[in-house]
Structure formats: structure tokens, C-alpha cells
Amino acid sequence: MRRVFVVDDEDGILTLIKVNLEKEGFSVRCFEEGNSLFEQLKEDIPDLIILDVMLPGLNGFQILKILRESEDYKDIPIIMLTARGDENDRVYGLETGADDYITKPFSVRELVARVKAVLKRAGKDNGKDVLKYKDEILINLDTHDVFLKGKKIELTLTEFNLLKLFLKNPNKVFSRGKILDKAWEEKYVSERTVDVHLKHLRDKLGDLGKKIVNVRGVGYKFEG
């Protein structure tokens, strides 16, 4: 389920967006100001943020700037939502790093369409070019980007191919020979090489690396 954070100080707007996005299958969390958003971001990275400009405390442009300058949050797609329809505001928001800009009053259908379009451009639309394990691992097959709990991680080509193989075939056991056939570019390597690369992949996946388990006497599987 794709997760959206909405930041707006109007209860009616928060309710309207939450209800309609949840009807489309999104998980939505709402915040009335920036500090509560930043506290939640320490625990959970969403697939997209809808961010109002006129907020108590930090305004939307200031929050946007902080997010875009952060290594942890800079890749989160952001849609600016505001009653300020001035062209200079729209240009400033987009130049600061917003992915889209919608002015109030807005059409709910348009908002939902814009959310889906931004997620698609970001490779988070659950389409045929994306592989996911829950909301914890996401692979963009076009760009070879891998995200672990919303944060981008770097994998070698072999590690990427291994993870892709397992996510495409959850709970299926592969022998070391079969893994070599399906995930290796270079065929003239020892089957024991599989163990080494899988250890590196497990380490990079942190706690989720435990999902890749050894089936004694057979090979490996990903517990999906």
C-alpha cells in the first residue's frame, strides 16, 4: 500500500484528501504543521508528501527546502498545495524542488490523478517496472534504483539481480546452480560465490536480510 503524508492546517482539507486517497487504496497520515511531520519522518518514509504552503511555524517552502537538502528525505516526491496561485510562488516551489503544484480550491479527481502521475514518474506506482516487498523494499527495474524503507541503497549488479530474482519468486527455493544461471552475468564462477554475494546482500538489507534463508541441502529462498 502506497503511503502519503499530508501537511495542512485546515481540518476540512486534511479530511477531504485522506478520505479520497484512501478510497483509491492509499495509506494516508495527516499533519497540521512541519514539526510533527519531521518527527514522523524519523520513523517512517512515505512514498509522497502533499505539502501546504501557508502553515504555522515553518511554511511549506521552508519545509520543502529542508527536505530537498536532506540526504534521507531528498528523493521523496512532493506536491505543493496552496491557495496562493501567484505565478512567482508556483515557479519558486518548482525551482526549490517540488514535483507538482496544485492551487486551492482544487478538484479531488485532479489531485488523485496528480498523485498517481507523480508516483509513476518516481517509479513508485506498483507498475510492471517496479518490484516491491510490502512497503519495505522497492526495486525500479528501469533505473536499477533500490529503496529500503524509503531510503535508496547501493547494490552491485549481481546483488541487484539476486534481489530481483528473490522478489519475483517469493518462497521459491533456488539451488546455487540455478541462482548462477539466473542472476549471474559471468558463468564461470564457483557455486560458493553465491554464498559470498548473498552475505553481502543480506548485510545491505539489514534486518530484512534475514528474509533470505538457507534451505539446508537445497539452496536459498526469500521468505515473502
Side-chain angles (χ1 to χ4, degrees):
M1 183 178 291
R2 293 160 296 174
R3 296 163 296 166
V4 176
F5 286 179
V6 185
V7 191
D8 197 299
D9 61 343
E10 298 182 52
D11 288 340
I13 295 294
L14 291 175
T15 301
L16 180 68
I17 295 175
K18 180 177 174 65
V19 168
N20 283 278
L21 284 181
E22 287 180 345
K23 286 181 181 177
E24 296 290 325
F26 293 92
S27 171
V28 182
R29 295 201 63 162
C30 297
F31 308 89
E32 295 185 352
E33 41 76 38
N35 288 334
S36 56
L37 169 70
F38 287 119
E39 284 300 311
Q40 186 60 38
L41 285 173
K42 295 176 184 178
E43 306 294 331
D44 189 21
I45 305 295
D47 295 298
L48 181 140
I49 295 174
I50 297 174
L51 179 61
D52 189 24
V53 169
M54 303 301 291
L55 294 168
L58 294 172
N59 66 45
F61 291 139
Q62 292 171 315
I63 294 172
L64 173 64
K65 190 171 187 294
I66 292 170
L67 293 173
R68 288 298 179 245
E69 291 177 350
S70 166
E71 282 299 316
D72 291 331
Y73 311 136
K74 65 181 181 179
D75 294 322
I76 303 174
I78 298 173
I79 296 177
M80 301 299 291
L81 180 65
T82 179
R84 297 170 64 177
D86 183 80
E87 181 180 0
N88 290 332
D89 285 339
R90 294 198 301 273
V91 171
Y92 180 75
L94 294 170
E95 288 182 343
T96 305
D99 294 272
D100 206 346
Y101 200 111
I102 301 175
T103 57
K104 301 175 184 177
F106 57 87
S107 158
V108 171
R109 289 180 61 190
E110 179 186 4
L111 176 67
V112 171
R114 296 278 191 101
V115 168
K116 291 180 178 179
V118 170
L119 287 171
K120 185 174 183 179
R121 291 200 301 269
K124 299 185 177 185
D125 63 333
N126 289 341
K128 63 182 180 180
D129 296 320
V130 173
L131 287 175
K132 291 184 68 176
Y133 170 70
K134 297 183 177 179
D135 285 325
E136 299 183 295
I137 302 174
L138 181 145
I139 297 179
N140 187 314
L141 298 178
D142 282 338
T143 64
H144 277 219
D145 289 328
V146 179
F147 296 88
L148 179 66
K149 298 181 179 179
K151 296 181 181 180
K152 187 175 179 180
I153 61 172
E154 298 297 330
L155 300 182
T156 66
L157 178 59
T158 297
E159 292 163 355
F160 179 89
N161 288 338
L162 287 169
L163 184 58
K164 178 174 70 173
L165 174 66
F166 285 126
L167 291 190
K168 280 187 172 181
N169 302 275
N171 299 310
K172 181 176 180 178
V173 180
F174 291 93
S175 67
R176 291 179 178 85
K178 185 63 70 173
I179 291 173
L180 283 174
D181 288 340
K182 291 184 174 293
W184 248 257
E185 299 293 325
E186 172 58 58
K187 302 301 181 184
Y188 301 102
V189 294
S190 164
E191 289 189 359
R192 285 297 172 186
T193 302
V194 172
D195 299 332
V196 175
H197 285 272
L198 281 176
K199 181 183 185 303
H200 293 161
L201 176 59
R202 281 168 163 164
D203 290 343
K204 291 182 180 180
L205 293 178
D207 290 342
L208 288 171
K210 297 176 184 177
K211 290 286 183 180
I212 301 174
V213 299
N214 178 260
V215 180
R216 186 177 296 275
V218 183
Y220 290 91
K221 70 175 181 177
F222 181 88
E223 293 184 330

